[in-house]
Amino acid sequence: MVGKVIAKKVCMVGPFAVGKTSLVRRFVDSIFSDTYLTTIGVKISKKPVAVNGDQVQLMIWDIEGVDVFTELKPSYLRGASGVLLILDGTRPKSVEMAAELSNVLGEQLPGVPVVGLLNKCDLMYEWKLGESDIEGLEALGISVIKTSAKTGRNVELAFELMVNKMGLGSGVPESP
Amino acid sequence: MSILEGIIEELGVAALVKDGAYFRLVNAQSGWFRDLLASLSCPVQEDGSIVDSESLCHAFPFIENFLIDAEAAWGESGAKTVRSGIWTETDKSGCEHQLEAKACSVNGVPVLLIENHTTTFSEHHGVYQKARDIALLNEKLVSELNQRQRELQSEIERYILQEASIKGVAESVKGHTSAVMICQPNGQIEMINKALIDIYQMDDVDLKRVSLLDQWVSEAEAQYPELKRVIENGSYWEGEFESKSGSGVDRWVRLTIGPVKEQDGQISHYVCVANDISEFRSLDTSSGSDGGYDFTTHLPNRRHFWRHINAVAEGGLTGDFGLGLMYIDLDYFKRVNDDLGHQAGDFLLSAVASRISRSVKHHDFVAHLGGDEFVVLVRYIEEVSQLDIVADRLLESIHEPLFVNGQSISMSASIGITINVESSFDPALLVRQADLAMYAAKELGKGQSRFYDPAMECNIPHKLQRERELIDAIDRQEFVLHLQPQISISGEEEVRVEALIRWQHPDHGLLPPADFIGIAEESGLIIPMGSWVLRQACGIGADLLSESKKICIAVNISAKQLRHPDFYKTLTNILSETSFPASQLELEITESCFLEDLNAVILLIEKIRKLGVTIALDDFGTGFSSLNYLRQLPVDYLKIDRSFIQGLEIDRESQAITSSVISLASELNIDVIAEGVETEAQFDFLRCRQVNFVQGFLFYRPLSLSALLKSYGQIKLLNDENKFNKPQ
Ligand SMILES: Nc1nc2c(ncn2[C@@H]2O[C@H](COP(=O)(O)OP(=O)(O)OP(=O)(O)O)[C@@H](O)[C@H]2O)c(=O)[nH]1
Ligand SMILES: [Mg+2]
């Protein structure tokens, strides 16, 4: 039997310049660039993944980073089945911002799984986050993995984990 | 094309009127929009004017989401136009288009406008790009500035210690961008550089007239009440506060103060490094973020802490519960920071921060006041003894080994505790009490906790009191030696024990060394006390020998003792006085003995070994040395620190370290003793790795002499038994 195609929305959320766009480009197109081109608004990329015989079309919403001038627009989150919350391991400030974002996520998308990505883990010497940050995020109900869009480390895994958490990969049916 | 359509097209807009499940394109000839629809394989009716809603949503998932907001706007009479925000669409050829949708009603008719911003986008983007590039740079600068300032600070201190010249410093920091001031403890300025003059806008004559140190202390005190105490006590301090300059304008400065000490421990100078961080501050406040968190550990910072405790005080305490405040200060942090570098220092701080957070309950409040100081506000305590338990847990978890640059380090901390059970309280008073208690814990030898006691307020330092008691104790012979057997698992028959000192305190009962060795070390009392231990141990050994109970006794020797010029003479005297054979005596020294003057220490130890005395390296793995460094040291035995043994069942790192220590030691022909063995599982692990001796509660606690005599035969038996159990 041929499985049907299901579309699922996943949002990339986080402070500016943490590597949201780079992670999507790594995952979807297998490319990476060192040049920083900030995202304005939203860009949606599609990527098919196979899950237990079903084809799932991931609609990945790369959302502009949050900074002094830009807040996360709640309407962008609507209908998301999962959120990747991205932080930059070399910028402690991004942790503070992420903690705030996770509040917004909790309000807007109650019950929707959030996976935290500590990105730029290739920059070991500039790494500034400690265990306490990770624990802080975990206390907020966010599972955390270290990723690098540059080397590709754990990028596939992060999306796989997301898909699993969305209740697809494990074969657990979604609640209606 | 009508004129109106032409205008709409010129504006780069596609105007769609909603009609049931369809959208009708008003400017049906819109080139760009039709091309884009075609490229996204969206079916459009022949004349190009009708698109069904489903196809539109399929082509633009972004619009699908926006339509929900749009419907709301259309449904509501008099509603405003809603905008979708910009999104980027990529066409078949890979070109990107920046679009924005708007929904509005025109005469009650729902209209969807799609605006094409592609041509003006790069300008718009450029502004955002620049703003974010600058913000990133700013974050980076702040972090580098902090790091450089600390580095400059310790470079200057090192220079003064080595060269004993302030002139040299003045020369080298003349044009430095960081402000530098060196002054005497009374505040009298010895040198300043131009950067300092620039911050304060005063000439150096004026600057030397005001006591800048006093000014700083009073300006910073509101935020940092312990500042004065910290520097007077000879510790390093850093912080950020607002400071008045000569021009009357307040500047934000980030200041580090490091005391330089003479040989005798007296403070000779303060080295102060300051940076004007007003610019960063103004950027930060304009961003509306007040930080509130420490940069390194991400714990709530000092300001956040004060806000919190003030709020608690304002709210008042209710019920039968009290409040406990713990002031935690890491021991020897500055040394670690200097030895291993600031990056490692920051790593340690983060690790300690996370351990502290983990050791307390969720609703307790942990903050990082800066430097190596933390506080924990424990709420809802019913009994004071609960705080003791928390403090012990904190001390233990901070002490667990940490791995930095491939080395293992054990940190320790001193904790001051104070409690409040009144419904209203003064936060500043509470903090000062906890700080004083912490200071007392430091004086009493570090690595421990103390409760605040009003006696701490009076001027006789606690340390002096303990010191006096210690002097009396030596006179009154209040010390006793306990002996802890080491069991052989490699077939040695000889009975071996480690001699451990205890103080039979007239008021406090039997005290472990942790309670007094620190003070003995600092005050120099360790010399007579150490000699007493050595003489006593040799005496006991000689007595046993005369009863044909052969025994090898290991005695702990502190770095200070070993470095004392008379140590060798004292040792040989005691050996001949007691006629205890040198070959039965072992000296346990720690890695810290080798920290200074490595070669001289090696020579001394070789001389001691020539007497027949054996040397054991104690607490191995917790100091600053690597395994390879072990090759240079003339030792016969190596004692793996108990923290690793205790970690064997918990973490792989302890297992890995223990295994590699054992195998390296056997390669170097050094016997290994495992300390603190408390469980069968630990013992099995060690036996399989062929450790030579084990010591710990699993076998024996430290025994009084009479208890040891009773167990003597049994120990011999155990040694024998293990000989046959030895794995091949
Ligand atoms: N070394 C390293 N650099 C990375 C990594 N991921 C992203 N970067 C770099 O970080 C910068 C920002 O990356 P982006 O992917 O544009 O960040 P973003 O989160 O999409 O930023 P905004 O769209 O502005 O919110 C770029 O210079 C990237 O090259 C990574 O894993 N390692
Ligand atoms: Mg981006």
Side-chain angles (χ1 to χ4, degrees):
Chain A
M1 207 180 83
V2 182
K4 57 181 191 316
V5 178
I6 317 164
K8 287 284 162 193
K9 174 173 173 180
V10 173
C11 291
M12 310 290 290
V13 174
F16 71 103
V18 292
K20 297 177 294 298
T21 305
S22 304
L23 285 161
V24 175
R25 303 222 318 153
R26 161 65 64 193
F27 181 59
V28 176
D29 306 317
S30 308
I31 44 176
F32 174 81
S33 155
D34 272 314
T35 314
Y36 173 36
L37 270 180
T38 185
T39 305
I40 310 270
V42 173
K43 182 173 174 192
I44 302 173
S45 308
K46 299 173 188 171
K47 166 115 178 175
V49 290
V51 182
N52 292 345
D54 283 337
Q55 277 294 321
V56 174
Q57 174 84 287
L58 289 185
M59 309 288 281
I60 305 169
W61 284 51
D62 177 15
I63 301 174
E64 62 194 350
V66 174
D67 68 0
V68 194
F69 316 106
T70 321
E71 279 183 17
L72 178 60
K73 283 201 185 59
S75 63
Y76 291 162
L77 300 172
R78 190 189 300 128
S81 305
V83 177
L84 293 175
L85 178 60
I86 328 293
L87 323 187
D88 181 338
T90 67
R91 281 166 53 210
K93 224 178 161 160
S94 72
V95 181
E96 280 170 44
M97 293 165 87
E100 283 177 37
L101 283 173
S102 100
N103 282 335
V104 179
L105 294 175
E107 280 167 26
Q108 297 295 322
L109 297 171
V112 169
V114 180
V115 173
L117 306 191
L118 298 183
N119 193 39
K120 308 197 188 176
C121 71
D122 53 291
L123 298 175
M124 244 180 30
Y125 288 103
E126 290 163 47
W127 195 258
K128 298 232 166 60
L129 302 200
E131 286 169 65
S132 58
D133 302 305
I134 300 181
E135 279 163 16
L137 290 167
E138 283 173 346
L140 297 170
I142 301 172
S143 27
V144 182
I145 19 181
K146 287 187 188 173
T147 57
S148 165
K150 185 162 187 164
T151 64
R153 180 160 163 224
N154 286 347
V155 177
E156 298 260 335
L157 183 81
F159 281 92
E160 252 170 55
L161 188 69
M162 186 76 261
V163 169
N164 272 317
K165 291 219 170 217
M166 294 190 312
L168 296 168
S170 59
V172 179
E174 270 184 292
S175 53
Chain B
M1 199 192 289
S2 72
I3 291 189
L4 197 60
E5 278 179 56
I7 293 172
I8 299 178
E9 179 69 9
E10 181 56 32
L11 290 171
V13 175
L16 297 150
V17 173
K18 185 169 154 62
D19 185 1
Y22 295 91
F23 283 97
R24 187 169 50 81
L25 190 55
V26 176
N27 48 333
Q29 303 307 312
S30 171
W32 69 268
F33 189 62
R34 291 184 51 177
D35 290 349
L36 187 58
L37 284 174
S39 167
L40 299 169
S41 22
C42 175
V44 187
Q45 240 180 36
E46 270 307 287
D47 69 349
S49 63
I50 307 282
V51 192
D52 76 89
S53 184
E54 206 183 347
S55 308
L56 189 71
C57 289
H58 189 75
F60 300 105
F62 185 83
I63 291 186
E64 179 181 20
N65 182 59
F66 177 63
L67 283 182
I68 299 171
D69 298 314
E71 294 287 353
W74 292 328
E76 212 178 305
S77 63
K80 283 199 217 106
T81 305
V82 289
R83 305 161 62 109
S84 70
I86 290 181
W87 88 97
T88 300
E89 206 64 65
T90 312
D91 67 22
K92 275 247 162 60
S93 62
C95 287
E96 296 197 328
H97 303 263
Q98 276 77 33
L99 311 174
E100 182 169 19
K102 285 182 182 170
C104 56
S105 293
V106 180
N107 298 334
V109 178
V111 173
L112 178 68
L113 300 174
I114 299 174
E115 299 176 344
N116 189 339
H117 292 296
T118 315
T119 48
T120 53
F121 181 70
S122 76
E123 204 178 316
H124 179 69
H125 183 256
V127 174
Y128 275 80
Q129 186 72 53
K130 198 148 265 149
R132 290 183 179 151
D133 285 342
I134 291 172
L136 271 183
L137 198 64
N138 191 47
E139 273 182 42
K140 212 177 166 126
L141 280 175
V142 170
S143 117
E144 265 169 27
L145 184 74
N146 292 355
Q147 190 156 326
R148 289 235 199 95
Q149 187 172 344
R150 291 190 203 129
E151 271 161 17
L152 176 64
Q153 170 83 38
S154 41
E155 254 168 53
I156 297 175
E157 284 170 33
R158 238 191 328 265
Y159 185 90
I160 295 181
L161 281 176
Q162 280 164 9
E163 310 290 328
S165 145
I166 301 221
K167 258 218 185 94
V169 178
E171 198 50 42
S172 71
V173 301
K174 203 163 62 182
H176 207 287
T177 49
S178 291
V180 178
M181 172 184 95
I182 300 176
C183 64
Q184 294 177 5
N186 64 11
Q188 193 175 341
I189 294 178
E190 298 228 336
M191 73 123 303
I192 54 176
N193 69 350
K194 175 156 180 313
L196 190 79
I197 295 174
D198 289 346
I199 295 183
Y200 282 93
Q201 312 255 308
M202 291 195 232
D203 58 29
D204 60 343
V205 182
D206 278 343
L207 268 176
K208 283 183 178 164
R209 222 172 2 236
V210 301
S211 166
L212 209 45
L213 187 69
D214 285 349
Q215 183 187 329
W216 281 336
V217 168
S218 69
E219 284 169 339
E221 223 159 23
Q223 286 170 70
Y224 303 95
E226 77 291 355
L227 162 58
K228 207 172 153 85
R229 196 262 307 147
V230 168
I231 60 172
E232 280 179 355
N233 176 30
S235 300
Y236 170 82
W237 180 87
E238 65 176 49
E240 293 174 8
F241 57 93
E242 246 177 323
S243 185
K244 265 219 161 7
S245 77
S247 67
V249 183
D250 282 351
R251 313 294 302 169
W252 271 96
V253 292
R254 191 186 136 77
L255 178 67
T256 52
I257 305 179
V260 179
K261 292 189 215 163
E262 309 263 9
Q263 290 258 297
D264 61 1
Q266 290 287 331
I267 299 169
S268 66
H269 294 97
Y270 289 118
V271 173
C272 309
V273 180
N275 276 301
D276 184 342
I277 53 163
S278 311
E279 312 288 308
F280 296 117
R281 275 276 164 175
S282 64
L283 258 175
D284 225 29
T285 40
S286 70
S287 78
S289 111
D290 126 57
Y293 289 85
D294 181 85
F295 198 75
T296 313
T297 56
H298 318 305
L299 285 176
N301 62 17
R302 175 178 298 274
R303 234 171 335 140
H304 194 148
F305 166 72
W306 279 108
R307 265 201 316 264
H308 180 86
I309 193 169
N310 283 325
V312 172
E314 266 165 39
L317 294 180
T318 46
D320 309 327
F321 301 114
L323 189 69
L325 182 70
M326 301 194 171
Y327 204 111
I328 307 171
D329 187 293
L330 300 185
D331 301 329
Y332 308 110
F333 176 71
K334 177 128 176 18
R335 201 175 78 194
V336 176
N337 214 28
D338 287 349
D339 284 2
L340 298 173
H342 294 297
Q343 215 139 15
D346 283 354
F347 170 77
L348 280 183
L349 284 177
S350 302
V352 167
S354 106
R355 288 174 179 191
I356 293 175
S357 308
R358 242 184 302 157
S359 307
V360 301
K361 294 230 172 66
H362 209 69
H363 53 244
D364 295 338
F365 184 86
V366 181
H368 181 186
L369 297 186
D372 57 352
E373 305 195 344
F374 298 84
V375 283
V376 182
L377 199 58
V378 186
R379 295 188 76 166
Y380 314 120
I381 47 150
E382 288 160 81
E383 281 182 48
V384 174
S385 63
Q386 276 175 278
L387 286 175
D388 249 338
I389 298 172
V390 177
D392 284 348
R393 200 160 57 217
L394 282 167
L395 289 172
E396 242 172 64
S397 84
I398 292 172
H399 190 60
E400 276 168 31
L402 259 165
F403 300 88
V404 185
N405 304 340
Q407 307 178 26
S408 140
I409 289 179
S410 278
M411 299 295 295
S412 69
S414 303
I415 304 183
I417 311 172
T418 189
I419 45 172
N420 169 69
V421 288
E422 309 297 327
S423 69
S424 69
F425 65 95
D426 173 5
L429 183 70
L430 214 59
V431 173
R432 217 178 55 81
Q433 290 179 346
D435 178 54
L436 263 180
M438 182 280 293
Y439 186 49
K442 276 244 178 254
E443 284 196 308
L444 288 173
K446 305 192 168 75
Q448 54 187 299
S449 65
R450 287 281 157 215
F451 275 88
Y452 169 76
D453 171 348
M456 291 170 181
E457 301 277 358
C458 59
N459 276 334
I460 314 171
H462 224 68
K463 185 161 79 174
L464 278 184
Q465 193 185 329
R466 255 292 141 89
E467 238 178 81
R468 258 178 232 141
E469 287 176 356
L470 265 181
I471 295 174
D472 289 347
I474 294 173
D475 286 348
R476 297 197 213 125
Q477 305 254 342
E478 284 170 1
F479 298 108
V480 283
L481 277 194
H482 281 189
L483 304 154
Q484 187 171 33
Q486 300 174 337
I487 306 301
S488 162
I489 35 184
S490 57
E492 290 330 302
E493 280 173 19
E494 189 168 52
V495 171
R496 293 172 51 93
V497 293
E498 176 181 357
L500 296 159
I501 188 169
R502 298 281 184 270
W503 178 7
Q504 190 65 58
H505 191 284
D507 303 327
H508 305 304
L510 203 61
L511 298 180
D515 281 10
F516 56 91
I517 290 292
I519 291 183
E521 284 262 1
E522 271 181 37
S523 59
L525 288 171
I526 193 77
I527 306 291
M529 189 191 286
S531 303
W532 179 86
V533 172
L534 201 55
R535 183 170 283 109
Q536 191 74 5
C538 291
I540 289 174
D543 287 349
L544 285 172
L545 207 58
S546 68
E547 294 172 33
S548 348
K549 293 199 168 76
K550 201 173 167 202
I551 195 163
C552 173
I553 302 189
V555 176
N556 291 284
I557 303 293
S558 84
K560 218 174 203 161
Q561 240 181 311
L562 191 69
R563 272 196 229 111
H564 193 277
D566 289 340
F567 180 72
Y568 183 79
K569 207 167 88 205
T570 311
L571 175 67
T572 47
N573 281 349
I574 289 176
L575 283 171
S576 64
E577 269 168 40
T578 57
S579 348
F580 187 53
S583 61
Q584 298 305 107
L585 177 67
E586 181 159 309
L587 302 185
E588 289 194 8
I589 58 179
T590 59
E591 290 162 77
S592 60
C593 294
F594 296 101
L595 275 184
E596 280 168 40
D597 228 352
L598 179 67
N599 294 328
V601 176
I602 291 182
L603 280 178
L604 171 64
I605 287 182
E606 272 164 355
K607 205 162 115 188
I608 293 173
R609 286 173 85 204
K610 284 220 178 80
L611 296 172
V613 175
T614 54
I615 305 289
L617 193 56
D618 205 2
D619 301 340
F620 188 74
T622 57
F624 306 103
S625 54
S626 64
L627 279 178
N628 278 330
Y629 165 83
L630 183 60
R631 293 179 199 275
Q632 296 181 48
L633 307 182
V635 301
D636 308 277
Y637 295 87
L638 201 148
K639 297 188 81 171
I640 305 180
D641 189 65
R642 58 177 63 243
S643 55
F644 295 109
I645 307 304
Q646 263 135 36
L648 284 180
E649 288 159 276
I650 307 157
D651 61 83
R652 280 212 209 102
E653 264 153 340
S654 291
Q655 292 181 1
I657 295 212
T658 306
S659 300
S660 52
V661 167
I662 297 173
S663 68
L664 178 69
S666 94
E667 191 186 303
L668 299 175
N669 255 329
I670 298 175
D671 279 359
V672 177
I673 303 164
E675 252 182 308
V677 181
E678 292 174 8
T679 69
E680 286 287 348
Q682 292 163 355
F683 179 52
D684 286 343
F685 181 96
L686 294 164
R687 191 168 45 186
C688 289
R689 304 263 173 332
Q690 311 208 345
V691 95
N692 305 82
F693 297 91
V694 285
Q695 174 183 350
F697 291 180
L698 182 64
F699 300 94
Y700 293 98
R701 290 172 180 274
L703 306 172
S704 64
L705 179 59
S706 60
L708 177 77
L709 282 172
K710 280 191 204 124
S711 306
Y712 188 88
Q714 198 190 10
I715 298 169
K716 278 191 88 80
L717 266 177
L718 268 175
N719 281 350
D720 265 358
E721 231 171 71
N722 285 325
K723 178 155 84 181
F724 299 116
N725 287 341
K726 190 182 160 191
Q728 290 313 305

